[in-house]
Structure formats: structure tokens, C-alpha cells
Amino acid sequence: MEREYLIEKIISLAIEEDINTGDITTNALIPEESRATAEMTAKAPGIVSGLDIALRVFKYIDGTTVWTPLVKEGERVSKGDKIARIEGSYRALLTAERTALNILQRMSGIATATAIFVKELEGTNTRLLDTRKTAPGMRLLDKMAVKAGGATNHRMGLYDMALIKDNHIKVAGGITNAVKQVRASIPAGIKIEVEVTDLNETREALAAGADIIMLDNMTNEAMAEAVKVIDRRAETEASGNMNVQRLKEVAATGVDYISVGALTHSVTALDISMNIVPNK
Amino acid sequence: MEREYLIEKIISLAIEEDINTGDITTNALIPEESRATAEMTAKAPGIVSGLDIALRVFKYIDGTTVWTPLVKEGERVSKGDKIARIEGSYRALLTAERTALNILQRMSGIATATAIFVKELEGTNTRLLDTRKTAPGMRLLDKMAVKAGGATNHRMGLYDMALIKDNHIKVAGGITNAVKQVRASIPAGIKIEVEVTDLNETREALAAGADIIMLDNMTNEAMAEAVKVIDRRAETEASGNMNVQRLKEVAATGVDYISVGALTHSVTALDISMNIVPNK
Amino acid sequence: MEREYLIEKIISLAIEEDINTGDITTNALIPEESRATAEMTAKAPGIVSGLDIALRVFKYIDGTTVWTPLVKEGERVSKGDKIARIEGSYRALLTAERTALNILQRMSGIATATAIFVKELEGTNTRLLDTRKTAPGMRLLDKMAVKAGGATNHRMGLYDMALIKDNHIKVAGGITNAVKQVRASIPAGIKIEVEVTDLNETREALAAGADIIMLDNMTNEAMAEAVKVIDRRAETEASGNMNVQRLKEVAATGVDYISVGALTHSVTALDISMNIVPNK
Amino acid sequence: MEREYLIEKIISLAIEEDINTGDITTNALIPEESRATAEMTAKAPGIVSGLDIALRVFKYIDGTTVWTPLVKEGERVSKGDKIARIEGSYRALLTAERTALNILQRMSGIATATAIFVKELEGTNTRLLDTRKTAPGMRLLDKMAVKAGGATNHRMGLYDMALIKDNHIKVAGGITNAVKQVRASIPAGIKIEVEVTDLNETREALAAGADIIMLDNMTNEAMAEAVKVIDRRAETEASGNMNVQRLKEVAATGVDYISVGALTHSVTALDISMNIVPNK
Amino acid sequence: MEREYLIEKIISLAIEEDINTGDITTNALIPEESRATAEMTAKAPGIVSGLDIALRVFKYIDGTTVWTPLVKEGERVSKGDKIARIEGSYRALLTAERTALNILQRMSGIATATAIFVKELEGTNTRLLDTRKTAPGMRLLDKMAVKAGGATNHRMGLYDMALIKDNHIKVAGGITNAVKQVRASIPAGIKIEVEVTDLNETREALAAGADIIMLDNMTNEAMAEAVKVIDRRAETEASGNMNVQRLKEVAATGVDYISVGALTHSVTALDISMNIVPNK
Amino acid sequence: MEREYLIEKIISLAIEEDINTGDITTNALIPEESRATAEMTAKAPGIVSGLDIALRVFKYIDGTTVWTPLVKEGERVSKGDKIARIEGSYRALLTAERTALNILQRMSGIATATAIFVKELEGTNTRLLDTRKTAPGMRLLDKMAVKAGGATNHRMGLYDMALIKDNHIKVAGGITNAVKQVRASIPAGIKIEVEVTDLNETREALAAGADIIMLDNMTNEAMAEAVKVIDRRAETEASGNMNVQRLKEVAATGVDYISVGALTHSVTALDISMNIVPNK
């Protein structure tokens, strides 16, 4: 499965860049047959994401690793909460530690930030979307973390949804033409979104049969009006310079979705530590 | 070259996860033979890093892309400064845009933050080091950005330097043994660093022949004393909970290096935009 | 690009399985520097598809190959019509010949058969769809050939559209639940199709918000009624045991799409020959 | 083993193109831990081929799959006969179904057609050969199916036998020279076949030491005479425009082999269905 | 082409293991744009082999390398003779030097030793064969070097010829059965060799239709008799404990081939140096 | 782990080049389910190396192989000593035999030769080093064999140590500059070695802060003097035209290391046989 394949690739790449010809310190000092047990602990409050992926890092290096998650994907933890227990080859635990933490801390950081945004939308019908502004190679994992934080995924990439933007429209000679050409070209199961910046464009996109209309960098007032014009005949997405302060009032315009790039392009890692003790 | 290979891999993975079976919108609307010119512009002040890598993203998709960098790797830009001009296939520019920006913005964000830390160390003999807390798959690029920001790279991974930590020492039965065993095992060209937490361990590491001694989570006073004890017979690295506020006083202890994980584990992307205009 | 990547993979696999450690006959007899010119000729009437792919086979083996297509992708040819002229390394032409023809003949065979089905639908609003019953590894190329023959592509695979079938519905406890759960799980840009077998299910699928409703193995009368019930609030697809004889009357039911597996699972290659003459 | 490797490649490519980032419907609706049992049933009479390969598709996606074949490779089935029972992850069964069937149906289609040709040769000393006109990437599997249908494999590709054709002979300046040069160049264990079109060429090929002589597009009378001239000092192969009607009389010429391209270039899939029921 | 692919793989593996994350010395000191010219010189007399492969090493690292061979593949050189001139990126020359020399020196060492054996067979009808006792990953290159030294290649591997040995015969219940079963299983173009140790086995192999008979560890007298018995109805190969001293008398038995493992399993590298001078 | 990855690659490449589309003889004659037991026996005295790697070859082909080593890595054996017992699929044992032996014989040959050199250094403080003159693709295994023979590994490649040579020094404008530039460029954990040819250069390298000084092609007298000048402030390596006869007197100069290329560039395989008996 390509999904598994992409995940495998980023894990193997992360391991390869770190380990390369071997963890020369650990290989010199820790006997091959030693086993140990580690615990991961949250050093700050947040939402945990990436448990399955961290496990795969350990398994990648040592297939006999036994992993006992102590929280669930997407669960909130307080400072000091245990996150997981890992039993396995002592060498493998030391060698995999940094790579596993790098992934877990980034994903949990994303989930933690996402949850803050999602909380702002409570009580509205508006859902939070992510964007394609993810770390290179981490698209699937970044988006998985966004989901763990309670938001909805926007398109995964350029292939699974048509998003007609400014440049496309100019070349096609207008929104109507652009939608028509795209519809004739893409497989039958994929929606078309059109980026608009005012009411005229909104009306044209609607008439052209857009499935989703992206209200790009529009004022809250303009968005509210667009939502009224569209009248549920297409879905609506507010986009551009979103931050947690604006979120509630943007939702008040009635848009179906708000998309936020910062969820994944500017991440603060959640502080998580790992303590390893050799088995008796 | 593995270096090229690792860079190629993260680029190809980033492109693959985004493009997959194709940019269905662009392929439907932009004629295959159209060419266009794009400009990248800083939307905030900072240090630019990753120009060569961004270029490679465009080249990966369209080998005929012509790239004219308007600043140098590691150069400071102000808001509104042009960063690069790119001429190539219109389709390729649209398809590669997001991936190229994701890389350039992350690397420039790292370089920008690094430069703030480095500035704190001006006038001292202490150099700033990065860590292995990088985004998965981005190790080489994250470290390249740290260099662009003016700092020195710590080890690239577990393979190119021995770093003897707590767990290793316990298993080996003390620092002296640990250093000896490692020296017997690793190739002749690689240094040994030992992590210590007090003066006794510092003295033992020094006697054992450590090339570098990492003063881990020690107070500034303890570090100053350790530096005196070591007396340049080994290099010294201050590590643990470093932030920009502490940097100057830590440097005042006389350590050779200070390592800071946040440089790469919690990155704020530098805002950079790309504007594309079709060629006449 | 994954699309390019998948195409590259099937080409390289086809070449590898044929050439392996080398075309031992040609390498022994044809001087490395000899160049030659080949012509491909249709030995039977049909629609040509796969020209770009055949070219890539030659280029894969010899980058200097010059390829002059004499017809366009999707163009109809008569017996005896020249399809393409190829100039390049004599060795490469001989070595690549079979692989290039295997691809071109299969794709042209698919396009030719598709065109016959499409012709049946002329004058109706119903469009012909392909299925996932393609030759292993040839999905993209088989679907490209279907397009060249004038039909529309159904989903490319399991990833780019949700298709809720019998088994899914049972587990979810009904169509309504199934659609709801899928909508909550998939990215925002992807449509949901529901397979139904009678009017009750049709109504439930419509109420649940299905984007497309697949009328599976239903009589023409039942389909006509379903189309009426749906009344353009969702798209409709007729599926199951379709053949060229039935096509017109199925279209008369008013369905938007008819899907036909035989287009790609039972292909008769279009007969194409290649004649090679050494350059003077 | 390259053989395993080529099979693995076509399987992984077939799965990748279908599943890509995941079976989004099944993943949304079927619990990860559910298990189910499937049965494959012939919907038409024929020869079954590809059982091991179909199993590998299921195993590729879920290593715990238990596969119980109910017929043997190459066995004849009637409409309604059960072919195999498969127990495993419910998700995996749904996800792998189409890919497994695509392979099994194609291979069984080839075996079924081959058996019809082979039957025509019963009571003669002539054996049926396949050609290199296989589906791209499916060479090994197509040839495996031909064997299951009772025929003999011709060369696997350009690497495992020398076949000197028209173009080669011209460049070498005659058959004699061509055979001599090839013999000097190839490893000691590989046979040389020469393509001839009349009796003179037949005699020259024989004198040159050809191991096999291909009688290309010759009349039955000419072939009979050639067989007499050769008098078992080399093997003989009849080739060109063979069909099931001609087969018996061509065999009557006494040739050792008859090769038929249509066995693999124009395949009608054998209709096979798969029914999945969840385990209690 | 698999051949190219296998060569590419061993080259890329050799480069990867040496260069890994980069030639850190050269990258630090030699400006990226510097160009230089190198000359390779024989430091001992011998036969040169591997020129094309050495070139590919340089090209792999720098596509702009210009390579001027000063001798031909298989040509004899004296101490001090120039072998090749290489112009290219200064960095690339320094980085590729060791890998290119490692290949060239091994292959030339093999060719040089082979030529000594071949010289012993001058004036006889017996040809020298290599074996499968090659350095791992170097099969194609080791065999290419054997050819450059004037010998003939035995089978490339387990796939391109059937060689029935002791263990096989026991399981099959005798030579006759073994040959019959193999013939029924392998493609039509591949020869069968049988290993025999006395005259009885020789006769049985001949009667069974073996294409080649390997006389394994037999005395010269026994081999001479076997050759007589066979009387050119099959080819013959002498094998086992061959060395340069025995060669002439073994040839005198009339065998067609003598195979020698030491040609490739115990290689003395030919001493070749490379001198690099920067361009003005 | 890259280390594992490189080992996996050379094993898979060795297997692929030998087996390719399959061991056609064994597959035709040995039933798939047969199991057998093999013993490896030394046919000459030496040091065994590569046991783990040989095991991996068998496991690669048949995961159920049971391997019982009868000696340890680096252990000395006499002619006739059993080295290992292997139980597994009969087919797999026959198919893997040659590849496993090729690796084991080469590595044991290297270890055996190394031990002879190491013995010469007994009673001195000088250690034997290998070089980068290894067989392409075999770097890690060749170096593992050198260790098994009792010597120390020099750098693994161009990436894990800086070695400043003639060409580098010229471009940098002297040793002092060269060392300074390299230090500024490489990660903090890597040593710098400088190649010198006389006392002046030795002094400059020492003053520049070289960690290791390579005394290249110097007389024993000059080396003794250099060692005195350096006075343990840097490590020293004697290099150039070393052979077993010179070793003792070179060691007498007091150098820390002597490096010998012939250990790996001109290897005589240790003769090892493998006898296979089917299980009852």
C-alpha cells in the first residue's frame, strides 16, 4: 500500500540519515543480546500523536520490540504522564530513541496546536482544515497529527482534488471554462474547488458547477455575503492569514471550512523524554 | 554520493507525496508547452537558506528550469526582497511551487533563528552547535540551514562520532572502560565525546582520553570549574535547556561549544511567496 | 511525479524482464555505433494509443532516439498507415522493438475497442467509464488508452474515490451510516459513490448524500425508475454485464455513466509491425 | 532470486497503482481487527493458473492470510467450481480482491486458451511454444500460465537464447558469419536459433551449426521439405500467423515446435468471482 | 537493460560505501568549479581491463568528465605506459579516484592472469573457461575481464544454463532421468551440462542427450578416454584443481574447455596509479 | 541501518547476479519441500571470517535455514576442521552454496593474510591498519575481515575522517591553511589526518593541529625522526609500499599505525568446501 510505503520511506530515511553505518557508540558498549525497558513521559501538557509511527521506528530496527502504549492516539496528557512503555533490545532502544522522539514530538506538537484551534470552533458548524504546508516527506504524518488534534484533512496533494487558482483561471480564460475543462479531464470521483476573491467570481464558480468554493483573503463581511449567495449549493472554505484570534468570527460567516497553514508549517515540538533501564 | 542521495530522496519523497499521480488541475488547464517566469519574495525579514535545494525541486520536475538566485545562501533579506527568479515550464512551476516553498521556508526559518543565537555569542570564543533533533528525513537540510545561520554542525548522526552517555557508561562499568572499549572498536579517524554531569566525571573523562566532554545540564558555575579543570586538554560542550537568554552567560564559562535543540525541533517558517507570470 | 514514476516502473520492468543481462544476439552482431531508422505500420484498422509510452521505451534504452509520430494519440488509422518513424542506435531499435510493440499494440487494442462502445453512445448524454479490471502494472496506461478511445476514466484506484459496496454497507449497518462514516474519514475533495441494487437502496443512498449512485446489475426498467427518483441530485452509473449490444438501451434509461470491464480485462492487440533499415 | 524479485515487482506495482495512499472506503468502514473468509468461484469453464501469485497478493497486504487452494495450478474447472478459500483480515480481503482477480483471471485466461491449442497437437511430436508478445511486466506470469496450459516456454527474453533474425544476418553478411560471431560472444551454455525463410537459408543455417532453425512464414510444403533437409541435425520451429485451425497441418510437416503469439498478446480473462463473508 | 543495471548497481554501491555523506576533505578544500586533468599509468606490465567501467565511475560523480582511453580493452601495457587521460571537475577526480582504481586494478589483474593461462593453450583446440567463483557483486565485471584476457565465459549464473551435479543426479535417480526432467522444465534455448566422474557416467550422460559433459576431477588418462567415447557428440569440459602447470597436458586430452576458478577467486591487482594536475 | 543496508545490498546483488530468473537445474530436479544438511569444511589452514554474512546469504534465499557455526568469527582453523553446519531447504542450500562460499572464502582469505601481518607487530605498540583498496561493494565486509584478522580499521570512506593529501594542500596554499579550512567545514566529531613526506611538512602539520600525521613513503630513518618531533602530540601512520618483510623495522620507528593496501586489494581465497546431504 502506497500509504504504508510513504510512511515506511520517511521512517527508513529518518533512520538512515541518523544511523548510516551504525550507532558506533552503542555497538561498542552494549552487548548485542542485552534487553532493556524504556518509558516515554510527557514533559509538558498536550495531545499525543504518532504512537503507531514511533512504534514502527523501534520495530524497523528490532522486530522483537514490544510496545505498550499508555495513552491513545489523540489523547490529552498532562506533564509527567507516561505515554508508552517499550521493551526490546537495549541496543535498538538506544539507537532508535532520537528518531522515534523526533517523530513523536513533532506530531504531538501539531496535534496540540490543532486542538487549540479546534476548541475555538466548538459550537459552530465550521470545520478546521489543514493545508499542503507540511514538512517535506512528512505529509501523511503531519496530516495524521492534524486529525488526531480534531481537524479535517484538506486534499492530501495535487492529485486527489482539483483546486483551480488564479493562474489556472487566467490561462483557461475564465472560471467557467476552467471548471469545464477540468471536469472533462479528471476521474469521475474527484471534486473541483475554485479559488475566488469576490462575489462576482463566487457567482461564476457556483454557476460553473464548482463543488467547493475557496474564499481567499476576503473580509469577514464579504465571506458572509458569499455564503449567503452560495446557499449550500456548494461547500465553502475560508482561507488566508488565519490565526487563532480570528477563528471565531470567521466561523460566524457561516463557511463550512477554515484552513490554517501554520498548523503544520510552524510547529513547536511537544517535549517528551525517554528513560531506558536495562532488564535484570 | 550518499549526501546527494539523501537529498535526492527527501526531495523525491516530498514531490511524490504531493504530486502522486499528477497535478490534475494544472495538467487539465495549462498547455504542456507553456512557459512562465516566477519570482520568490521574502514576506518577512530573515536569513535565506535552501536555495540550491529549492532549485533541485524545480529541476526534478522539469530539467529545463532556469534558476537565477538573487541572494546568496545565508544572506540576510528584508521584507519585500526578491530571493530568486525561476523560468521554466508553466506546468512545472505550478506543480513544484508548494514543495519548493515548504523546503525553502523551513530552511530559512532555521537559519533565521540560528542567526539570532549566533549573534548572542559574538565576541566570545564559544561556538553554537546544532543537535540531532531535526525533522525526520531533513537531517542534512536542517544542518545545512544551521550552517547558513552561522553555527557549527555537531555530529551528523550516530555513525560519525562516538557520544558516550549515561546508559553506555553504566553498562561499561564506568567512563574509563567505556572510552577504552569505544576506542578499540571505532575507526581511527573519529572522536569520542563523553557526557558528564559533575566534576568527578569530568576528571575521569579527561583521564580516559575523551576528545570532547559534554557538560550536561550543569550550572554555569559548575561548567566554569569544569572548563578550568579540563584546561584545553579536551574540547567542551555545554548542553541542556539552552535558550537565547542564557547563551551569553553560558559562553562566559569558557566552553568551546553550546548545543541548542530548538534550532531544528521547533521551527517557525520564514514567510516567502512565489508569483508566477506566463511568458509572452 | 508518481504518475511518471508508475509509468517509468512498468517500462523499466517490461524492459528488464525482456533484456535482463542483455540482447546477446544484437550485441554480438550489430556494431555499437550503427544507426538505423524504423517505421511502425498498422496491419489492421484501429485507434492508436501509447505513442508517448512507446517512445519512452526507446529513449529508456537509448537517449538519443529521435521519434517522429505520424499520427496523434487517439487518431484512427487504416491498414497500411504509417504510425511513427524512429531513428536511433541500431542496437537500441532491435532491442526495444518487442517491448515497444507490446505496449503500443495493447493500448491501441484497448482504444480501438473503446471507440466501438463510445460510438454506440453517440447522441446520448451517457458517458462510457472504464473499471479497475486492468492488466497488473498497466493501470495508468490502460486508462490512458480508454481516454484515447473517447471514454471517461472511473476512479484510478481505491484511493481517489470512495465506493461503498455491499460488504461495507453490512458492516456499517446500512447505507446511511456508511456514507456518514466515510465522509468523516476521507479528505474534503473526494466524492462518495454507493452501490445499490433496488429503489429502496437508491433512495437511502440519495438521502445519505451520496455523490454518485451505482445501479448494480439492475434491469433497464429499474434503472430508468431510479434515474427518475434521483432526479439529478446525484450522478448515476449503470454497472454489471455490459456489452456493446446492450449499450444503447441502457443509455436510454438516462444514466450518466455506463462502466464496462471488458474494455481492459479482455484485450485484442491491434496488429502493428516495425520495419528497421540501417542508415547509410 | 531475480525470479522472485520480478514477481514481487509486478505484484507490488499492481498493488501500488490500485491502493496508493489507501483503500479509503474500506479503511473508513471495516474495523482493523475484523476477519473474514472469501471464496473464489469459476463463472466459466477453463484452466486455472496463477493461484500462487494470487495468494502472494493477499499475503503482500496481510501476512496472516490463510489460503486454501481447492484446485491445482493447471487444473480444469467447470462453471461454479470453487477455486480457493481465503481467510484473513477483512480489510485486506476487500483491498486485495481486485488485484488478485486481475492476475488470476488473466493467467487463467491464457492457460485456458493454451490448452485449446495444445489439444490440437495431441498425437503429434510437435510442441507448442509461446513468444515474447506478453503484457508488459507480466512476462514471467504469462509464461507460467502458458506452461499451466500444457505448452513449452520459448526463450524468456533477449538474454537467454540467441535468435538471429533478418536484420542481424544482413549486418553480419550472411548466416554463416552471423552464427560464428554469436558463438564467439555468448556464454557456453546458450543455444543459437536462426530465422530462415527458404530452403537455401535452411541449409546455410544447418551448415553454420545452428541449434534451432525457425521456419518463418513458410508454406506447409516448404516446411515439410526443410524438416527433411535438416533431418534432426537441428531442432525446428514453425512461426508466423499461426492459429488453431492451421495447427494440425503444420504439425504434420514434422516441425519440433510451433510458436503462437496470440496465446499472450490477445487474452480473454477467465471469469472468476470472489465472495467475502465476515467471520463470526 | 539488466546488464547495465547490474553494472550500475555495483558502481553505485562502490561509490556509496566510499563517499557516503561526502568527501569531506575535498569538499572543504577544492573549489566546486575547479577542473583538473588526471593520467592513469601502469606501474607494472599486464593486460588492461575495465576502462569503460572506470569511466562510468567518473561519469557517475560528474557527468561532464571527458575520458580519453590511451589503450584498448584487453591491450597489453608495459610499466610506465599511460592508460587513460581524464579531464573533469577537480573535486570529482579526487572523489572518484579510489573507486575507479579499485575496479580497474582488479579487472586488469584478472585479465593479466587469464592471459597467462590462455597463452598455455595456444596451438590447441581447447578453450579456457571461467567459473562462478567471482567476487560478490562483480560477476559481470570479473567475467568481462576474463574475456579481455582472451578466455571464454562459462555460464553467467544459475539461470542461463543447466548444470546437473552429483546432488541433482542422486535425487533424480540417475543421469538419464535428470536430463529428461531438466529438458522438460527449462526454456527451449538453453543447453544442459552434466557433471561426470568416470566413463560409465560419461556414456550415460551422452546417451541422455547432454549438450556438454563436465569431466570432474578426472585423471588426464580418463579424460582422454572420455573424449574418445564422446566423439564430438557432445562438448567436453575439464574441471577441478586446474593450474597453469597442468594446462597443456589437460588440453592434450582433447577436451573442448578447461575451467579455472582461481582466475577470479584469488586476484592480484595490477598496480595502476593516477596523477591529478589542476587545469590552468 | 545503513550498515545493514549496505550488507543487504551486496548480498542481494551477489545473489541476483548468480540466480537471476532462477536456478533452473535445481528447480527442475529437487522437490520444493526437500530438506538437507550441509557442512562447510576448511580445505586449508587459516582464520575464518564472514560466518554471519554467509548465514545471511542462506537466510536471504530461505528464511527457515538453521545455521550452526562450529567456529567463531576470527578463529583459526586447520585443514579439515568443520566450520559450520547448515540445515534447510535442499533447493536453497544448492542455490546459495556458491554465493555463500564466495563471500566466506574471500573474507577468510583476508583475515588469514591480516593475521600474518599482525603477528609481525606482536610486542610493539604499532597497530596494523587497512586502506580503502577494497573490492567494489565489499568495503564493510572486507574491513570486517581485517578486524577478524586482528587489525584496526582505518577510515571507512571519504566521509568519516578528513585526510588532507598533496592535491588538497596545493590548492589550499599549504598545510596550515588546509587544516584550518577543513576544521571550519566538517562536523565537530571527526579527526583530521595530514599526509606529509618530510620533516618540514611534519612540523607544519603538527602546528596546524592535525590529529593524525601520515608519513607517506618515507624512509625508516625519516619516520623515526618524525615520530620524535611529533612526540605524541599527534598520532602517526606509516604508509606506502608496506609488505610483511618491512613491517617489524617500520614498527621500530615508533609509529602508531602502519597501513597495508594488499590486505584487501590482492586476496587469496581460503579454500572451503561445502558438502550437502539430504535429510532422511
Side-chain angles (χ1 to χ4, degrees), chain C residues 15-16 19-22 60-61 95, chain E residues 1-6 140 156 159:
Chain C
I15 289 173
E16 184 178 337
I19 305 185
N20 207 309
T21 45
Y60 189 96
I61 291 178
T95 301
Chain E
M1 288 187 267
E2 172 77 357
R3 183 189 179 76
E4 292 309 298
Y5 179 64
L6 285 171
L140 285 177
M156 299 308 290
Y159 62 96

Side-chain angles (χ1 to χ4, degrees), chain F residues 175-197:
Chain F
I175 289 172
T176 310
N177 258 356
V179 173
K180 198 169 141 188
Q181 285 177 43
V182 170
R183 183 50 72 214
S185 162
I186 67 176
I190 289 180
K191 291 186 189 168
I192 297 175
E193 178 165 13
V194 178
E195 187 184 290
V196 303
T197 54

Side-chain angles (χ1 to χ4, degrees), chain D residues 241-263:
Chain D
N241 291 315
M242 294 297 158
N243 54 47
V244 81
Q245 288 77 22
R246 276 190 73 190
L247 227 54
K248 265 209 175 101
E249 41 191 79
V250 174
T253 66
V255 293
D256 296 302
Y257 302 109
I258 301 174
S259 57
V260 178
L263 293 181

